Amino acid sequence: MTLLRTTRQRRRRPLVATAAAGLIAALLAAGPAAAVPDPDAPAGGREVSQRRQADTEAAIANGGVPDVDEVVHSDNIRHVANIPLDAVKGINTDLAFQGSHLFAGNYDGFQIFDISDPAHPRTVAQVLCPGGQNDISVSGDLLFLSTDSSRSDDSCQSTPQSATEKSSWEGIKVFDISDIRNPRYVASVETACGSHTHTLVPQRKNVYVYVASYSPNPAFPDCRPPHDGISVIKVPRSAPERAAVVGFPVLFPGDGPDGGGNPGAPTHPGVSKTTGCHDITVLPSRDLAAGACMGDGILFDIEDPERPRVIDQVQDNTHFAFWHSATFNQRANRVVFTDELGGGVGATCNESVGPHRGADGFYDIRGKGDRRKLVFRGYFKIDRHQADTENCVAHNGSLIPVRGRDIMVQAWYQGGVSVIDFTNPARAKEIGYFERGPLSTDTLGLGGSWSAYYYNGYIYSNDIRKGLDVLKIEDRRTDAAQRVRMHELNVQTQPDYFDDFDR
């Protein structure tokens, strides 16, 4: 763990523009390919052209971007701690919280930190259990991990094995964390096409798990098309070893071989074909969920958690390449969808790509009951242009609970962490940020903030390469959020932060 001093604020100066039309065309051509089968998969660095190397070095020299690994942030954000990768050395992924503990996913397993003193986090446990991407969540004494890489078996000693082998395994692993220092692996459930991400719908006796996965292939015995729904797992709290799939609700019914979702390219060039969902966010207090499903955004009813029903379905075939994640606002009358253009490995935060691709899209929820509709309101993308050696695109974030305003914090890979006010969704704006300079001036590799979430007064960012960062925002627009205290937070199981706000 390293304490860090406050560093300089970066100057917002655009990079030297490359050939805009050619770059956008290349990203659109590469977008769906990068997003299939795994847009979040680890990727080795690739050397960029000498032109882009020179542009990156020039941007660093003139203050347009920070120097390699240099920490910069806005005046209202402090960088209070960093914990580098340790025994679990893979790629850092998602985060979950419970009491004074933080749970951090990693392609090699997961880590547990004591954050009772956020400025001095302490490692409590490190569990080696490979199986990317190890999307993570907790509920009571149970911890859940997603495995979306084909493995030889369901153990933590498994090895990679082709998905063409019937014996290969992918799905959900369940751990008992009643002894927080010694998590115990207690159950596994295999799911069709694995588990890229998952979302909990917790109840008193059972925990329902919505498993998002996609990209079927006729050659995969356990992942054949059509794959137009999600797996629903029921986990009894008192007997998690009895966890089992209880349904596969079809979210995109249709007569074609791939169901009724977005057909993608070539019908819609540069858009991913919908063959499942990437991420789902539920709002249990409203029996509502939002799904980011490759080529589609959906709103659905979860009053019966085993039988979710789609209420509305939208597409954006002009600006969205891969619908990645969703966040409700405080009053549940708006959804923020993110577009992971280029699958998370592209350099899209620059002048050439522009402000509407690889961005957030804001949708109001209008109407009542089954007549509710998603209505587009606007886009947001960070205007801190990044180097051509920095992968940067909209990724995971959470609300900052401020009554009467819509404010969230969000990760942008090497674009860092952004605090966004979207109270007016047509004019959303960044009100704070934290970032590092590029990992390299000559190679484009996977790095930066995977997830950035607000929890009990602090922002926690899981940096893919640099480890866990702890940030503190001090701003009159967000200060009231410090009074909201959570006991448990899985961001994809979105809480009612205020029990008494108007419904």
Side-chain angles (χ1 to χ4, degrees):
M1 188 270 293
T2 306
L3 295 179
L4 296 120
R5 62 181 178 84
T6 300
T7 55
R8 69 172 176 87
Q9 185 175 8
R10 68 174 289 184
R11 288 184 289 166
R12 294 175 186 246
R13 180 176 296 175
L15 297 176
V16 177
T18 53
L23 180 56
I24 291 175
L27 280 168
L28 290 177
V36 176
D38 185 358
D40 294 326
R46 63 182 186 274
E47 190 170 0
V48 299
S49 68
Q50 290 184 348
R51 166 77 178 275
R52 292 190 178 183
Q53 290 181 40
D55 285 350
T56 298
E57 291 166 358
I60 291 172
N62 67 29
V65 297
D67 205 347
V68 172
D69 287 341
E70 181 184 5
V71 172
V72 298
H73 50 75
S74 55
D75 288 340
N76 59 352
I77 286 182
R78 289 190 293 113
H79 189 193
V80 299
N82 171 265
I83 302 179
L85 294 171
D86 192 8
V88 181
K89 296 184 181 298
I91 287 173
N92 275 338
T93 59
D94 211 8
L95 299 170
F97 305 85
Q98 188 180 83
S100 60
H101 292 102
L102 177 150
F103 304 81
N106 183 287
Y107 269 77
D108 283 350
F110 65 93
Q111 300 176 82
I112 303 175
F113 299 98
D114 182 332
I115 54 170
S116 53
D117 179 358
H120 300 88
R122 294 184 296 107
T123 301
V124 172
Q126 300 189 72
V127 177
L128 292 173
C129 195
Q133 57 187 26
N134 278 334
D135 192 53
I136 193 167
S137 59
V138 294
S139 182
D141 289 338
L142 300 178
L143 179 148
F144 302 84
L145 282 183
S146 283
T147 299
D148 193 32
S149 57
S150 188
R151 313 294 296 182
S152 57
D153 55 53
D154 64 351
S155 74
C156 286
Q157 293 76 42
S158 67
T159 56
Q161 181 170 289
S162 173
T164 60
E165 297 290 333
K166 176 63 179 172
S167 62
S168 295
W169 185 91
E170 299 177 73
I172 290 286
K173 294 169 182 168
V174 185
F175 289 77
D176 184 320
I177 54 171
S178 54
D179 180 353
I180 198 72
R181 295 184 177 278
N182 296 288
R184 184 168 56 90
Y185 185 11
V186 295
S188 69
V189 181
E190 187 171 14
T191 54
C193 298
S195 174
H196 192 70
T197 66
H198 68 267
T199 302
L200 304 187
V201 184
Q203 297 186 341
R204 187 170 63 87
K205 292 184 178 180
N206 304 300
V207 180
Y208 286 95
V209 185
Y210 288 170
V211 176
S213 55
Y214 50 90
S215 294
N217 188 310
F220 300 163
D222 298 319
C223 182
R224 288 177 173 149
H227 183 76
D228 48 12
I230 59 174
S231 297
V232 179
I233 297 173
K234 182 178 181 179
V235 185
R237 291 188 185 275
S238 61
E241 67 278 2
R242 298 210 308 262
V245 174
V246 294
F248 188 85
V250 174
L251 303 179
F252 303 98
D255 297 329
D258 296 309
N262 196 319
T267 304
H268 302 301
V271 176
S272 291
K273 178 170 66 175
T274 297
T275 58
C277 290
H278 181 280
D279 213 313
I280 295 167
T281 294
V282 299
L283 194 58
S285 63
R286 303 295 187 91
D287 293 328
L288 199 61
C293 304
M294 303 180 73
D296 295 87
I298 60 173
L299 186 71
F300 52 105
D301 182 292
I302 60 168
E303 183 177 6
D304 180 348
E306 293 188 20
R307 298 171 181 82
R309 298 183 299 105
V310 174
I311 299 171
D312 195 25
Q313 175 181 351
V314 292
Q315 298 176 358
D316 180 349
N317 295 315
T318 301
H319 294 116
F320 263 46
F322 190 94
W323 296 65
H324 177 275
S325 55
T327 302
F328 288 100
N329 71 337
Q330 201 72 259
R331 297 179 62 83
N333 61 1
R334 184 169 298 146
V335 184
V336 184
F337 289 103
T338 65
D339 171 31
E340 196 182 40
L341 170 68
V345 297
T348 79
C349 296
N350 50 40
E351 191 174 28
S352 298
V353 176
H356 297 152
R357 301 183 187 276
D360 295 335
F362 302 102
Y363 286 77
D364 281 353
I365 302 173
R366 297 181 183 172
K368 296 182 179 180
D370 288 352
R371 295 181 180 273
R372 284 173 286 189
K373 297 292 183 182
L374 292 165
V375 179
F376 175 75
R377 293 296 309 282
Y379 296 107
F380 169 81
K381 189 175 181 181
I382 58 173
D383 63 356
R384 293 173 287 106
H385 290 152
Q386 306 296 305
D388 285 336
T389 58
E390 293 181 278
N391 64 309
C392 176
V393 74
H395 212 230
N396 295 337
S398 77
L399 286 187
I400 297 180
V402 178
R403 193 185 298 273
R405 298 197 68 83
D406 291 337
I407 299 177
M408 69 181 294
V409 59
Q410 185 176 313
W412 294 79
Y413 289 113
Q414 286 194 69
V417 175
S418 179
V419 179
I420 307 158
D421 186 331
F422 63 102
T423 307
N424 179 352
R427 295 182 178 274
K429 58 184 179 181
E430 182 176 79
I431 62 173
Y433 69 88
F434 165 89
E435 66 169 298
R436 288 183 172 87
L439 293 170
S440 168
T441 60
D442 58 16
T443 302
L444 173 59
L446 184 66
S449 179
W450 181 287
S451 297
Y453 299 147
Y454 185 92
Y455 180 72
N456 291 351
Y458 288 81
I459 294 168
Y460 297 88
S461 167
N462 216 17
D463 187 286
I464 291 169
R465 304 292 182 186
K466 303 299 182 181
L468 177 69
D469 288 308
V470 184
L471 312 175
K472 179 71 171 177
I473 182 167
E474 296 168 329
D475 189 293
R476 59 178 178 78
R477 292 164 289 191
T478 61
D479 286 346
Q482 298 181 60
R483 296 193 292 269
V484 179
R485 311 301 291 181
M486 304 295 298
H487 173 67
E488 190 171 272
L489 178 63
N490 302 293
V491 168
Q492 288 74 31
T493 304
Q494 196 167 312
D496 248 344
Y497 290 96
F498 304 112
D499 293 335
D500 59 347
F501 74 88
D502 295 337
R503 291 179 180 272

